[in-house]
Amino acid sequence: MATRGQGYVYRPHYRDRSGNRVQSKTWWVGYSVDGAKQKESSKSGRKEDAVRLLNKRLAEAQQGGPLPSTVRQVTFEDLCELIQRDYRVQGRKSADRLELSIRHLSKRFKGMRAKQIRTTSVDLYVDLREREGAARSTINKELAALRRMFALASEKGVLPASMVPTIKTPKPRNTRKGFFTEQEYRATLRYLPAHIRPVVECLWETGWRKGNVLSRRWRHVDVEAGEIRLDPGEAKNDEPLITPVTDGLHAVLRQQHERKKEIERRTGRIIQHVFFDDNGKPIGDFRKSWASATKAAECPGRLVHDIRRSFAKRMIDEGLPESMVMALGLWRTPSVFRRYGMVDTDMKRRAVAQLRGRTRSRQERASNA
């Protein structure tokens, strides 16, 4: 067997239709890399073309580049494995989001060779997802995952750079501006199951993401001090975050703590999560309960995430500076914060009224001077 860097050129023999053994007019190259045999047609009847191709492939092998035969075998599933391994090694926090993106990408690319996934294929995928009603920001997350897969494949020598398709993520055009009024929030709360209400109350009082609230355990809460904590890495940096709670949320936490002790006595189960059902199990997805409650409250179509926007709007209405609202609601950057569309028509009217009042005051002072 040839060793790495060795190879040969040849013209293979085959049987014609009459069964006669004849030699091909086309020259082929053969070589071995790390014990793996490789064969490839030069697509030429000239021996010097085959020698030139062989030298090129051997040079690529010496540089650690991907070989044509291995490139042909790379599948979409191989790309998925690359990015999943990278997430594990890097300790990325958005692994759940990645798995969701992979599930959607698999609907279009499952079983495909990497070389078949080109820019046109990606465009067709975007069209498919938009027809399914997916938001552009959601599609962009999926495209970003696909682009990262190919980038990793190129970095690790699995695919040549020439095989990496151009994957663009257009600017999202689905910025939502849904807000809850106090009346709508209270009405929705009334129609929710009793064990879900504390979750929504916590969302309303903190402006946190649903995942941050549902993942809280009692070790994150100091009921007496009225504080709730995020572990290192859960907030915008790797430092722990301790947040004082409002009087309303303080009362909710006290009630949850009393309810926790009662269910533990009844079931013998140790309850670690702050928010739980009547059997002490952690609360997970509650989309059906939420949809029913918002419909009964005559505000159908509102999202749980709209509570987060409403929190920011309320805080701005109270006169808190943007930096303080961002710190309370755990927004990472001003650009992300502003993309939530915090300014509604009422806020604009109030701003214009203030400007008019200031203009009139200046005019009156000028006329009295």
Side-chain angles (χ1 to χ4, degrees), residues 119-228:
T119 302
T120 52
S121 307
V122 177
D123 291 341
L124 289 172
Y125 174 77
V126 173
D127 181 61
L128 170 67
R129 293 290 285 131
E130 287 185 334
R131 283 189 281 108
E132 290 177 346
R136 175 53 66 87
S137 59
T138 301
I139 298 172
N140 282 354
K141 288 185 177 71
E142 295 160 9
L143 295 180
L146 185 63
R147 184 169 56 200
R148 179 59 180 160
M149 292 179 195
F150 275 98
L152 285 168
S154 178
E155 290 172 12
K156 299 187 179 300
V158 177
L159 292 175
S162 61
M163 284 193 62
V164 177
T166 300
I167 302 175
K168 297 180 179 179
T169 50
K171 182 179 179 181
R173 54 173 190 260
N174 58 298
T175 301
R176 292 184 58 91
K177 294 182 174 65
F179 296 100
F180 273 95
T181 64
E182 182 85 21
Q183 182 179 0
E184 290 170 336
Y185 160 68
R186 296 296 173 191
T188 301
L189 207 60
R190 285 199 304 272
Y191 290 108
L192 283 169
H195 67 281
I196 301 294
R197 289 174 200 158
V199 176
V200 177
E201 288 176 301
C202 185
L203 292 168
W204 181 261
E205 295 291 342
T206 63
W208 286 7
R209 296 173 183 84
K210 183 175 68 173
N212 286 130
V213 170
L214 292 178
S215 61
R216 291 311 86 198
R217 297 174 179 245
W218 285 109
R219 61 184 174 82
H220 297 124
V221 175
D222 187 330
V223 176
E224 295 305 318
E227 294 176 343
I228 190 167

Side-chain angles (χ1 to χ4, degrees), residues 8-133:
Y8 52 93
V9 299
Y10 68 103
R11 289 192 298 166
H13 289 82
Y14 64 95
R15 298 283 180 181
D16 63 12
R17 292 182 179 180
S18 302
N20 299 318
R21 189 171 184 269
V22 296
Q23 190 174 39
S24 171
K25 295 180 180 180
T26 302
W27 284 87
W28 282 61
V29 300
Y31 51 93
S32 179
V33 178
D34 294 333
K37 293 182 179 180
Q38 313 289 338
K39 291 182 179 181
E40 181 181 358
S41 171
S42 71
K43 300 179 182 179
S44 172
R46 291 160 47 91
K47 183 176 181 179
E48 51 266 37
D49 290 338
V51 172
R52 191 178 300 112
L53 176 63
L54 176 62
N55 291 333
K56 179 183 177 181
R57 295 301 184 226
L58 293 177
E60 290 173 349
Q62 291 293 341
Q63 295 169 6
L67 300 171
S69 58
T70 58
V71 167
R72 287 195 293 270
Q73 297 167 4
V74 178
T75 64
F76 170 73
E77 286 72 22
D78 294 327
L79 299 180
C80 291
E81 187 177 340
L82 275 176
I83 194 171
Q84 289 167 329
R85 185 185 306 121
D86 182 68
Y87 266 57
R88 290 193 297 269
V89 171
Q90 299 298 329
R92 298 282 294 274
K93 304 170 190 174
S94 52
D96 290 343
R97 173 64 252 184
L98 172 67
E99 294 304 319
L100 182 58
S101 294
I102 287 176
R103 283 203 296 273
H104 285 295
L105 289 165
S106 296
K107 294 177 184 178
R108 176 69 179 85
F109 302 116
K110 183 179 180 180
M112 288 181 64
R113 302 288 185 184
K115 66 177 183 179
Q116 297 175 303
I117 304 175
R118 312 313 300 154
T119 302
T120 52
S121 307
V122 177
D123 291 341
L124 289 172
Y125 174 77
V126 173
D127 181 61
L128 170 67
R129 293 290 285 131
E130 287 185 334
R131 283 189 281 108
E132 290 177 346

Side-chain angles (χ1 to χ4, degrees), residues 248-309:
L249 182 54
H250 197 180
V252 169
L253 294 175
R254 285 183 177 277
Q255 291 170 4
Q256 284 293 99
H257 198 258
E258 291 301 316
R259 184 165 160 260
K260 164 186 177 293
K261 291 190 290 186
E262 189 277 325
I263 293 179
E264 286 180 337
R265 283 195 299 269
R266 175 167 54 84
T267 64
R269 172 182 290 152
I270 301 300
I271 300 175
Q272 297 183 351
H273 283 79
V274 176
F275 301 102
F276 46 87
D277 62 18
D278 293 336
N279 294 316
K281 295 181 180 179
I283 294 175
D285 181 63
F286 55 91
R287 279 178 291 185
K288 290 184 179 179
S289 298
W290 177 261
S292 298
T294 52
K295 183 178 180 180
E298 299 183 354
C299 50
R302 293 290 172 80
L303 305 178
V304 174
H305 202 70
D306 289 338
I307 294 178
R308 182 163 165 79
R309 272 178 283 273

Side-chain angles (χ1 to χ4, degrees), residues 298-357:
E298 299 183 354
C299 50
R302 293 290 172 80
L303 305 178
V304 174
H305 202 70
D306 289 338
I307 294 178
R308 182 163 165 79
R309 272 178 283 273
S310 303
F311 171 84
K313 179 178 179 295
R314 294 195 339 266
M315 297 302 102
I316 290 174
D317 285 348
E318 293 292 333
L320 269 64
E322 181 181 292
S323 59
M324 188 176 295
V325 179
M326 287 177 58
L328 289 171
L330 309 180
W331 277 278
R332 293 175 182 270
T333 63
S335 61
V336 171
F337 177 78
R338 291 165 189 155
R339 197 168 67 219
Y340 275 64
M342 302 303 174
V343 182
D344 65 0
T345 304
D346 289 339
M347 292 173 68
K348 292 175 183 176
R349 289 195 184 104
R350 289 195 297 273
V352 171
Q354 290 180 20
L355 289 172
R356 286 173 178 167

